[in-house]
Amino acid sequence: MSHPHPDLPAPGPLPEGGLRVVALGGLGEIGRNMTVLEFGGRLLIVDCGVLFPEESQPGVDLILPDFASLEDRMDEIEAVVLTHGHEDHIGGLPFLLRLRPDLPLLGSRLTLALVEAKLREHRITPITLEVAAGSRERLGPFDLEFVAVNHSIPDALAVAIRTPAGLVLHTGDFKMDQLPLDARITDLNSFARLGDEGVDLFLVDSTNAEVPGFIPSEREIGPVLDSVFARSRGRVIVASFASHIHRVQQVIDAAVAHGRKVAFVGRSMVRTMGVARDLGYLRVPEGVLVSMDELSELPDDRAVLVCTGSQGEPMAVLSRIANSDHAIKVGPDDTIILASSLIPGNENAVNRVINGLTRTGAKVIHRGNALVHVSGHASAGELLYVYNIVRPRNVMPVHGEWRHLRANAALARQTGVPEDRIVLAEDGVVVDLVDGVASIVGSVPVGYVYVDGAGVGDISEVALTDRRVLGEEGFISIFVAVDIVEGKVVAGPEIETRGFHEDPDVLKPVRDNVRREVEEALAAGVVDPHQLQQRVRRVVGRWVSQTHRRRPMILPVVVEA
Amino acid sequence: MSHPHPDLPAPGPLPEGGLRVVALGGLGEIGRNMTVLEFGGRLLIVDCGVLFPEESQPGVDLILPDFASLEDRMDEIEAVVLTHGHEDHIGGLPFLLRLRPDLPLLGSRLTLALVEAKLREHRITPITLEVAAGSRERLGPFDLEFVAVNHSIPDALAVAIRTPAGLVLHTGDFKMDQLPLDARITDLNSFARLGDEGVDLFLVDSTNAEVPGFIPSEREIGPVLDSVFARSRGRVIVASFASHIHRVQQVIDAAVAHGRKVAFVGRSMVRTMGVARDLGYLRVPEGVLVSMDELSELPDDRAVLVCTGSQGEPMAVLSRIANSDHAIKVGPDDTIILASSLIPGNENAVNRVINGLTRTGAKVIHRGNALVHVSGHASAGELLYVYNIVRPRNVMPVHGEWRHLRANAALARQTGVPEDRIVLAEDGVVVDLVDGVASIVGSVPVGYVYVDGAGVGDISEVALTDRRVLGEEGFISIFVAVDIVEGKVVAGPEIETRGFHEDPDVLKPVRDNVRREVEEALAAGVVDPHQLQQRVRRVVGRWVSQTHRRRPMILPVVVEA
């Protein structure tokens, strides 16, 4: 098993007839999946997703893959293949298409419909090519074959990529539900056929590689929902992911079975379910879907609300209901179902929602107390099947943090893939497939590209470090205007603090210290504002550390009047 | 079941012969446990703990119970009973004792030793009274009997409190391990005897009331550690809670069995294990314990490191090893065991540690992949035993968030406690036991008291809100000195930002806008600095919102030169 190297050099040129693979995202993290393949000077991209920030990246809206290594090569890209319509696979497209609006996008019918709806909000009309399971497309040196896979969104695809260097099979995200609602299982027959042909490099979803055994079928949630609905005397409110069409289908089925009507709440939920319904992926009998206004006219025991906010997002309807900050008030008769996973990092927020709802007396059903969620990714037992069917020559685990990549590598090894044919790489690591052997040959620089408000990439690690300090400790700013000629302070010291202390009077003593320090410095001939600022910083810093044992940010500004 | 009332009035006077119970912490949250009992004008306190802040309370070190309702009554307090030595039960003492240093503290031998070691660091020598299982103490109107309970720290006690109003039984924190390492089980015989006498009010630990079934014995961890040690070719590093003496005992036993030596790392680990060893709660054969320096001289396969940092605390040894920021470098031969729970809110931090360690190739064992932790609190199946043995007349779930309190209440109801004899209260809610019936009669105001650095209570919700804004968005400060007589700007506008944008030049355009705005205002006769500041804030706020779609904190300062 190749081990990661901390100081990989820039790679040499790709050998004639070799295939190069670089992930710009998704390796060493869960999210912003993006893999770049190169053959004969031409590039193919698989997916272009976003990563959602965690608490150490405060105020950031999204994190993009780093496109820097592509910027001079945009014209060499044949196309972007989209395996499915989740944000961590398509969310980066609006930003990639800024660099080249006519990049062709390939994907299944539902995937492209969701991409187009998303891009419309960014006022982009993409060039698309719809593909389906079994489709073959030739794009430059890349001969693509698409394979059906089952996932937590319909119409997902794996992609087999043939080049003269060999056959690459990229699973995308997939699971192995053997009885999915839409009967569209992961096509192991095609995996077997490709395995017989010889898969030279197998890129495999690692998300659940640490999870032992097998994932229950989505179908098993139906009876649970049915029994919850049967026992509910009041409203039923279901929070789920806006993209989970089969989960919502089962909620609708339960609602119909119990004579209830359903309203969708939340922009992304309404948008996705609209697309899904238009294309026939969601089936809703006539008259079941109503508006929120219509729903509020119904007796509670006929109402179902389907909303987002299952991750405790503070502005979502669910959090506002839990905070008693919404027109919908819940009480002991009502039932709330969190029919979703708990994305790591959201535990506190979700816990707050559960406590807020529980406090009202409402019944809260969640994955901790009922089977109302199943994962969308193949677990260890299922991955073993896949490895045994594909019998790959080289394996590169993708889509996961280090713990997941390494667990996936262990599964490959257990099924007989030789240790030295398993490539453990992280973002930016360059893997070449040459003469049937995949190996790490170097790395390209990749970083986090933060989207914050209207800005892309203008928030740096320095700004985030500043935010962390400000968020933990607040700041003290000190303004002083000086007359250098007269050698005196003409305005200020004006001291302001935020996030530091309740009582502004606490700063009075330091005000005199600052004035004295500045006037002494001026008297000693120090007139450089920067030097004066350093002296002010020292005085205030020493005082705050000794008196308060804290380390707020200190911002001294000395200007000449 | 009494439901919480959002606007409870101040309670009337306690009726003659009645007992009053008010929790100042621990109800509606996990932590800062503190219960105040009142009879005949005298008070008894059970526990005085701290709560650890979550991400919505940035920069806070600790959260205390709100002592405000006690401040005028400190002389009426008979004593503080400490059920066990965990921080969430004793951590508030240094702050409570500031209000009255001679408050008597009652607790078991180990509990008091840990309290005294803690208070020494605050230079406080407390007045203590050691008690033990079976002890009885009369303190004013309160007749106390102590009962052994098993928990994740040795020498824990429940307390029965007899007053003329009735018998109160407070479990403290407890679990039901039937084969604990020290053979000191929760004394159900005494619970049964008290139940036969008649428990009028039963205060019951709710922490695990949502967890179905039974908690495995601490003893079951031993063989798991043994097999991990047996397979380890390199170092073994075990991270655990500094107070978990039995867990550490089992690590030491495994080390001895496999011919390894042990070093403790981390101030709190060294302190607690020192106390535990001195008092005989931790048994270490001669020569097994070594210093870090001695350990580093040993071959890797003879070394065991026991440290803190199991919650991913960034400055702890474990995080630094995971970050390759420590003299100890781990690799594929080494094994790290996280022998602890995962406290909600720490998931991301722990995940970072696991990924960092996994990246090195080291083997990481944690509660997700092996039985290396068991909880310290009785779960639902165990609580049913306790309710059936005690058969309480009134029940008040304690120690838990709403979800836990409500789950505990449901268990009480299932064992036959009438719905109207189960009191669901949160912090500050006043419960009176009068004529054998417990009921909510009002509330006293309680808030969060934040400890930050040297300050107690000087950080307000406003400051925390400011920190949240600063941490998410950063700030822009604008300093202008004006000459009112001349009607002109004499210094500035000086604009500074932190945590907002990479490029300082981005603020150039707004500088001119601010100058123009101020000079126009001065020309129009506006000379009040506050009004001028408001104008500056508007100009900058509008610009930043339109240009950047962000909302940093804006701090305008206009001073007269």
Side-chain angles (χ1 to χ4, degrees), chain A residues 54-55 58 348 351-352 355 358-359 401 403 406 426 452 454 458 460 467 471-472 499 501-502 548 550, chain B residues 54-55 58-59 348 351-352 355 358-359 401 403 406 426 452 454 458 460 467 471 499 501-502 550:
Chain A
E54 51 181 67
E55 82 268 39
N348 280 345
N351 193 36
R352 257 193 296 275
N355 275 312
T358 305
R359 189 175 188 282
E401 301 170 2
R403 53 193 295 179
R406 208 172 268 283
E426 56 193 337
D452 183 5
D458 57 11
S460 63
R467 285 183 184 176
E472 290 279 304
H501 203 285
E502 183 71 327
H548 293 278
R550 295 202 201 141
Chain B
E54 51 181 69
E55 82 269 39
N348 279 345
N351 194 37
R352 257 193 297 276
N355 276 312
T358 305
R359 191 175 185 282
E401 301 171 2
R403 53 192 295 179
R406 206 173 270 282
E426 58 193 334
D452 183 3
D458 58 10
S460 63
R467 284 183 184 177
H501 203 284
E502 184 70 328
R550 294 199 202 143

Side-chain angles (χ1 to χ4, degrees), chain B residues 34-51:
Chain B
M34 182 169 182
T35 311
V36 182
L37 290 89
E38 176 177 357
F39 184 88
R42 302 300 295 172
L43 304 177
L44 181 78
I45 294 175
V46 179
D47 291 330
C48 181
V50 290
L51 173 68

Side-chain angles (χ1 to χ4, degrees), chain A residues 136 145 162 167 192-200 393:
Chain A
R136 289 192 73 150
E145 176 183 345
R162 291 180 181 84
L167 169 57
R193 174 175 47 77
L194 293 164
D196 291 344
E197 179 180 338
V199 170
D200 295 291
R393 293 172 182 152

Side-chain angles (χ1 to χ4, degrees), chain B residues 260-294:
Chain B
R260 288 174 181 256
K261 295 193 184 289
V262 178
F264 292 133
V265 196
R267 195 169 59 102
S268 56
M269 181 65 78
V270 170
R271 182 180 74 187
T272 310
M273 294 308 147
V275 168
R277 209 181 164 201
D278 290 347
L279 298 182
Y281 292 94
L282 184 75
R283 290 174 311 280
V284 189
E286 209 53 51
V288 168
L289 225 48
V290 297
S291 71
M292 268 295 286
D293 284 346
E294 291 166 323

Side-chain angles (χ1 to χ4, degrees), chain A residues 373-445:
Chain A
H373 177 71
V374 298
S375 171
H377 301 270
S379 57
E382 296 159 336
L383 289 167
L384 291 174
Y385 274 73
V386 173
Y387 280 119
N388 282 329
I389 284 172
V390 174
R391 289 158 290 125
R393 293 172 182 152
N394 296 274
V395 167
M396 178 169 161
V398 296
H399 302 177
E401 301 170 2
W402 269 101
R403 53 193 295 179
H404 312 118
L405 301 178
R406 208 172 268 283
N408 202 358
L411 296 173
R413 207 177 49 238
Q414 286 167 33
T415 60
V417 180
E419 185 115 6
D420 60 357
R421 296 299 180 87
I422 303 172
V423 181
L424 269 174
E426 56 193 337
D427 293 344
V429 169
V430 178
V431 177
D432 282 359
L433 176 67
V434 177
D435 298 332
V437 177
S439 51
I440 291 174
V441 298
S443 72
V444 295

Side-chain angles (χ1 to χ4, degrees), chain A residues 466-468 470-471 474-475 498-499, chain B residues 465-475 498-499 553:
Chain A
D466 283 348
R467 285 183 184 176
R468 283 192 288 269
L470 288 167
F475 72 89
R498 292 292 185 277
Chain B
T465 303
D466 282 348
R467 284 183 184 177
R468 282 193 288 268
V469 172
L470 288 166
E472 291 278 305
E473 304 273 355
F475 72 88
R498 291 293 184 276
M553 183 177 286

